[in-house]
Amino acid sequence: MAKYQVSDLIREAMEAREGAYAPYSGFKVGAALLADGKIYRGCNIENASYGASNCAERTAAFAAIAAGAGHFQAIAIIGGREERAENYAWPCGICRQVLSEFAEEEMQVIAAKDESDYQMVSLRRLLPHSFSLDIL
Ligand code: THU
């Protein structure tokens, strides 16, 4: 993760979470994605038409791609109903698939409760045998 520490990424995810728009679930999520050496933030954005909602991880992924950063190195995620996250919020299946499209070999996923309480695993471990461009 070179010049960024895990704690930097988690702090960014906590700040990103402040932008969450989650009036339906009340579950606010923030994500900070390290891509091509820069951090891109995302939050969940819900909609009155529930299916139109977007997860924090995909918001961050799409921001990175739109900015031309297509090599994902790590993502930190923090979410929950309370001010302080009570559980680790691992990315949903759709987000794992979206991340895998742009993930570097050893991309790490960090699920955090706060800066010093987190778990980190590779995306490959969270999504083995992902569907990819190689077989199309
Ligand atoms: N959510 C995320 O932002 N990321 C995930 O990986 C799972 C769920 C959001 C979607 C919805 O706004 C809320 O959390 C409850 O599902």
Side-chain angles (χ1 to χ4, degrees):
M1 241 171 280
K3 69 181 188 178
Y4 290 108
Q5 306 283 342
V6 170
S7 57
D8 294 329
L9 219 51
I10 295 172
R11 201 171 319 112
E12 292 267 354
M14 289 166 101
E15 285 177 25
R17 190 178 175 222
E18 286 167 21
Y21 175 73
Y24 305 100
S25 72
F27 193 93
K28 295 184 173 182
V29 188
L33 172 66
L34 182 63
D36 287 320
K38 276 187 65 180
I39 294 177
Y40 297 88
R41 292 180 179 183
C43 56
N44 57 331
I45 303 166
E46 298 185 346
N47 193 276
S49 174
Y50 298 169
S53 301
N54 204 50
C55 292
E57 297 89 325
R58 270 176 291 150
T59 305
F62 297 153
I65 295 303
H71 304 95
F72 295 179
Q73 283 112 31
I75 189 167
I77 304 146
I78 185 159
R81 274 200 186 77
E82 307 302 324
E83 178 76 15
R84 186 190 183 275
E86 295 174 316
N87 294 293
Y88 301 114
W90 294 103
C92 77
I94 294 174
C95 289
R96 292 178 197 200
Q97 177 64 32
V98 169
L99 294 171
S100 78
E101 182 82 20
F102 307 100
E104 289 198 333
E105 187 68 22
E106 289 306 318
M107 183 181 178
Q108 299 297 308
V109 178
I110 301 146
K113 292 185 190 174
D114 61 42
E115 281 164 64
S116 54
D117 184 351
Y118 63 87
Q119 292 184 0
M120 177 159 69
V121 300
S122 66
L123 180 66
R124 186 167 278 247
R125 212 180 132 203
L126 289 181
L127 188 68
H129 308 295
S130 65
F131 189 74
S132 80
L133 188 60
D134 313 343
I135 63 160
L136 289 180

